[in-house]
Amino acid sequence: MFQNLAPAAVDPILSVAEAFRADPRPHKLDLGVGVYRDANGNTPVMTAVRYAEQQLAQTQTSKSYVGLGGNMRFSRVVTQLILGNAEPTGWFTMQTPGASGGLRLLADLIAASRPNATVWISDPSYVNHAPIMRAAGLRVASYPYLDVASGGLRREAFFEAVAGLGQDDVLLLHGCCHNPSGVDLEIDDWQQLASMVSQQGFLPFVDLAYQGFGDGLEQDAAGLRLLADASEEMLVVYSCSKHFGLYRERTGAALVKSAGSKQVQGKLFELARRSYTMPPDHGAEVVAMIIESAELTALWHSELYAMRQRVQSTRHQLADALSTNGMEAEYLCHHKGMFSMLPLSEASIARLRDDAAIYIVAGGRINLAGLAPNKIDTLAEAIVRLAA
Ligand code: LMR
């Protein structure tokens, strides 16, 4: 049966994690997969999550099925977090198995409704965007985004590409903390997109996976909300992996704004039923419990604030350390969230791995949230030494 299988595609992020795990060198440094690590290099269970889990273990009375849409209290609280309103008109929210599951579900929804649609992704974009869209049978094209030389946005080229979009086009954007570049749209850019969407009628699709890692929970959703107000139809996919530290619990959501909300809901449930039926409940219940408790919410806010501060200060320290070693990297201080891209060739990335046990994703993406303070100087020195 399986002799004719084509070789599996190598995932550029998870393959780095795999190679890192297999490396016996004790000084190895993983800047690959996007997980937060504290100053000791650990990815701890957040205290708010721990408290909610303890409470859940004592009070949960059943593990019976939930509905196809998952945990409805979760859907309500994340709608509030994303849109600033728990019951916005025209929106339907359902829980999904992580944001990747949500991306696939929404891609299937687009394909079911507009099979000839083109999904436009940023150049560069999250490595799983194109494969997921293509797996659903959709065409993928890219729009200019990152200017590698300056570490900034190719604003003019970006808007020129968006100006060409129409009703068969889906514009996939990163709500904040762009993955992999860290280069975010400014609020004026979102405003401009909002006026373009109402004139041109393309479908905005926002991936919000790092809310609270940029400037704060509200600030990081501000652009998306502007676009939501201006759009008659819109898609949003959401992840609780990073800001609740729930990575392996696969806790995400898909949101759809449309005039035919009931019809959309029916189709989404059908799509979910024939692929995974319903998402895992644990992470969603934990998120609902945290947001429904003022005390746990305050604790979560303070933990998220500390994570954001640590990543921001790592950005400044790495820029300083690179500059001390003779490499100008001030742009790192303007980027948001976990990632930035260093202008490294594939040969330099291989040298950093082979000679210094430093693991970086192909293309030069580094996860600053994975960098302990005592490793910053070593990293900067190695980059300058091996990147030539
Ligand atoms: C990442 O970009 O490193 C994360 O979003 C992990 C993933 O699922 O790819």
Side-chain angles (χ1 to χ4, degrees), residues 11 13-14 32-34 100 126-127 179 210 242 250 339 365:
D11 184 276
I13 295 174
L14 299 182
V33 69
S100 297
Y126 170 47
V127 297
N179 179 5
Y210 299 87
K242 326 284 169 167
R250 309 313 299 138
F339 309 118
R365 186 189 88 169

Side-chain angles (χ1 to χ4, degrees), residues 303-314:
E303 292 184 278
L304 183 56
Y305 175 79
M307 291 199 287
R308 179 167 68 244
Q309 291 295 106
R310 203 183 89 64
V311 180
Q312 282 171 357
S313 101
T314 302

Side-chain angles (χ1 to χ4, degrees), residues 362-378:
R365 186 189 88 169
I366 56 167
N367 171 28
L368 288 116
L371 184 55
N374 61 357
K375 302 278 177 136
I376 293 174
D377 288 339
T378 316

Side-chain angles (χ1 to χ4, degrees), residues 15 32 37 53 73 109 170 199 217 320 330-331 379:
S15 60
R37 294 195 191 89
E53 286 182 316
R73 287 174 27 250
L109 181 73
V170 180
Q199 280 161 29
L217 285 166
D320 286 351
E330 213 253 335
Y331 59 86
L379 173 66

Side-chain angles (χ1 to χ4, degrees), residues 25 27-29 351-358 382 385-386:
R25 290 173 287 181
H27 61 281
K28 63 185 177 176
L29 180 57
R351 271 198 299 277
L352 281 161
R353 182 192 61 225
D354 298 341
D355 298 359
I358 292 170
R385 181 165 51 88
L386 297 168

Side-chain angles (χ1 to χ4, degrees), residues 162-219:
V162 177
L165 304 188
Q167 299 204 337
D168 285 335
D169 295 305
V170 180
L171 178 62
L172 181 47
L173 299 158
H174 300 226
C176 67
C177 308
H178 183 268
N179 179 5
S181 73
V183 173
D184 277 357
L185 298 173
E186 309 270 345
I187 205 71
D188 288 349
D189 299 323
W190 288 99
Q191 189 67 67
Q192 189 168 339
L193 284 174
S195 47
M196 292 170 95
V197 78
S198 44
Q199 280 161 29
Q200 296 170 226
F202 56 84
L203 179 68
F205 185 170
V206 180
D207 184 344
L208 186 61
Y210 299 87
Q211 190 182 11
F213 269 91
D215 294 322
L217 285 166
E218 294 300 305
Q219 296 88 328

